Amino acid sequence: MMNKYWFTVTACTLAFTANAQQKALTVKDYERAESLMSYNTAKYIDHATVQPNWLEGDKFWYSTKVNGNEQAFLVDPVKKTKTLTTDYKGSAMPSRRGLSWSEVLSPDGKKAILIKDYNLFVKDIATGKLTQLTTDGIKDYGYATDNAGWKHSDAPILRWSPDSKKIATFQQDQRNSKDMYLVTTNVGAPTLKAWKYPLPGDKQIATIRRVIIDVENPKVVSLNIPADPHRATLSDDISSSGTFDDIDWKADGTEVAFVSTSRDHKNEKFRIANTTTGAVREVFEETVKTQYESGQGAINWRYLPASKEIIWYSERDNWGHLYLYDSGNGKLKNQITKGDFVVTRLVKVDEKTRTLYFFANGREKGNPYFSYLYKIGFDGKNLALLTPEVGNHQVVFSPSFAYFVDSYSRPDVPAVTVLRNINGKLISTLEKTDVSRLTATGWKAPAPVSVKAKDGKTDIYGLVFTPTKMDANQKYPVIDYIYPGPQGGSVGSWAFVASRGDHQALAELGFIVVVMEGTSNPGRSKSFHDMSYGNMAENTLPDQIAAIRQLSVKYPIDTNKVGIWGHSGGGFATAAAMFRYPDFFKVGISESGNHDNRNYEDDWGERYNGLVENSDYEAQANQNYAKNLKGKLMLVHGMMDDNVPPYNTLLVVEALEKANKSFDLVIFPNSAHGYGAYSPYMMRRRWDYFVQHLLGVEPPKDYQMKGPSAR
């Protein structure tokens, strides 16, 4: 429900409230805004969220800060004690024992796999001896190579068997895939950067020939199936979870279960391979009309060879739920979870008690994006809520899984961290985040809001940021921050965060900043997520417009002064807003946008739009609408962007020039998708642009962001 709007009437409006008579903002105004960035607010937060460092017997220690002073506590869940201690200091990060990050350690810690000259080698940790495992890897047809087009690294993509004797991996065939090119900017001849980067509609994309490799007695076993497209159930990268995705080993290493995803993500095949012979058994498949995904942030299927069962994830009833299959005949045994809510992440399968532990959204009243922890039996009975407090729950389990640390919060309510047993029983309260010192500086939390989407029926949710001091007689320009997804959304985490980017900082300069989660984003029903399937150019923009108009009834928003900005997909959406709704959006800043998805990596567009032959990519391309520009538009791109190549923005630049339209362009010659060391510069340019063109006053000349050094 809409939070009741309130504001403070000040007898003397300060400069940064930007009244109509004001002609310029000062350095002090910008300094005040910058004081609301995370690197300045963090020092005022006490008793923040707990990060447990586990010890034997499920004991753990954690540290927290109070008035800037660090304190450490030792917690014993069995004795229910929490003791101040000085015994534990420093980082609790596990040691890699001299290993490079491009080496994958075995479960027993005795071996590591690395890539050398497109082939795999195993390293004996004790002696450092290398043994070659493959010999036929060549350029663009190497083993375990990592390249999703937009993401690539030197680390091998593979999954160790639990007994540390075998690995499941692939030989990635990119030989017929197209190249992408970027060049450096420097004195002298530029350096050409080239890598394989298929595009939507290409006849040839990267494929993976699946193999099992016996590490102890080097032998490569090819699975007896054709090569799979470079696709996964979680996202377009087959290592999105940090390892080789969609793989589940039998404990003794004799079998491996995996899922093959079609190029357009519409078909999933569940398969089980014999790791000695390479024989593959087809168990079952699922086909969907739009695109299949196995969960939100985690893969939710499991192979349970001991009971010859499979836990499967499906949205077939319009909600993301868990299903139990017989792995022998591929038949459905029963649906496990059911109802108008979405299972987001399966975190534990207890085969002994036949109990599942999972996170889900939307089952409890209130904000449907709040995440709660539940448990349920394999038979779908005895569903139990383990984290009942209203809010977004973030959980860390003990090594034995007998306890968990639960931190719950809301965007406007700081976190409380508690210790529970695995049945959800509260053992103790560990910390309550205290923001009183931060509040004393003038900081305030954003207001959570709910309005109707463009259809007038669907509830959508978001946050509103207002200046800390406001003029009761004034209307404020509004800035809409947008990330349209469809694989994520504008808000990001629904947990408490004292500073979300520069939203509050921008508000402090004299704006109301709106961040709305439009339709077509994940975390809710399948039909909600699919609302813009096949037309990503929709970009939730009709929802954004509807939301701003509704919010203007409750907040002093000037709907004649609407700005918008976003990065990446948000850059795509921003330019689309300025071209498709030029009478509503007056000022836009489009950063690193994928303006034409035929110029962005093959999988993302083909997943959410469909294959090129089935979707009108041309009609969605921003450059085709550039002639409609009326307002002020700034385009921004890093010229070494290997995620969204800069040619996306240059297509729009060329179209604007052809249409004789004035616009602003900021380029970062040697920056990638993010701007790295130039990020503070970009933030300052963003503030200046909105202050000058939306607020209508002059910013301070070349303000120097202080950055983290100001802490």
Side-chain angles (χ1 to χ4, degrees), residues 592-605:
S592 303
N594 51 306
H595 300 284
D596 187 333
N597 282 304
R598 294 169 298 186
N599 265 39
Y600 185 47
E601 63 95 8
D602 61 314
D603 179 80
W604 195 69

Side-chain angles (χ1 to χ4, degrees), residues 73-178:
F73 295 92
L74 177 64
V75 179
D76 187 332
V78 177
K79 295 182 179 179
K80 301 181 181 180
T81 58
K82 170 185 160 184
T83 310
L84 190 65
T85 180
T86 58
D87 291 343
Y88 306 98
K89 291 184 179 180
S91 173
M93 288 290 289
S95 171
R96 293 270 301 174
R97 293 181 290 181
L99 286 179
S100 148
W101 287 106
S102 60
E103 298 174 356
V104 180
L105 191 65
S106 61
D108 64 10
K110 296 179 180 180
K111 298 179 283 292
I113 303 292
L114 63 139
I115 300 175
K116 188 177 180 182
D117 297 328
Y118 313 108
N119 283 293
L120 294 179
F121 290 74
V122 60
K123 180 166 79 173
D124 184 277
I125 300 299
T127 66
K129 179 185 176 183
L130 288 180
T131 300
Q132 190 163 359
L133 297 174
T134 68
T135 58
D136 59 336
I138 58 175
K139 185 178 187 298
D140 296 325
Y141 196 27
Y143 282 92
T145 52
D146 181 20
N147 182 15
W150 63 275
K151 175 189 174 295
H152 38 102
S153 77
D154 295 327
I157 308 304
L158 57 90
R159 186 78 69 90
W160 279 98
S161 61
D163 61 6
S164 300
K165 294 180 179 179
K166 298 177 181 178
I167 60 171
T169 187
F170 52 82
Q171 191 175 11
Q172 182 171 227
D173 191 353
Q174 306 181 109
R175 291 171 294 181
N176 296 312
S177 296
K178 291 181 180 177

Side-chain angles (χ1 to χ4, degrees), residues 460-476:
I460 56 175
Y461 297 77
L463 301 173
V464 173
F465 300 76
T466 56
T468 56
K469 295 184 184 296
M470 299 181 71
D471 184 343
N473 299 312
Q474 181 186 331
K475 284 193 171 184
Y476 289 80

Side-chain angles (χ1 to χ4, degrees), residues 321-381:
H321 283 304
L322 301 172
Y323 295 77
L324 187 65
Y325 274 82
D326 185 312
S327 67
N329 58 25
K331 302 285 188 179
L332 175 66
K333 297 178 76 171
N334 60 269
Q335 184 171 348
I336 300 172
T337 58
K338 189 178 295 184
D340 292 352
F341 64 93
V342 55
V343 174
T344 57
R345 189 155 53 96
L346 176 60
V347 292
K348 173 70 173 178
V349 178
D350 188 332
E351 295 183 66
K352 290 183 178 179
T353 64
R354 296 182 67 78
T355 304
L356 302 178
Y357 296 83
F358 63 92
F359 284 97
N361 294 0
R363 184 176 181 270
E364 311 308 315
K365 292 181 179 179
N367 190 317
Y369 294 102
F370 287 164
S371 187
Y372 295 84
L373 180 67
Y374 301 85
K375 69 174 181 177
I376 195 171
F378 280 23
D379 58 3
K381 297 178 181 178

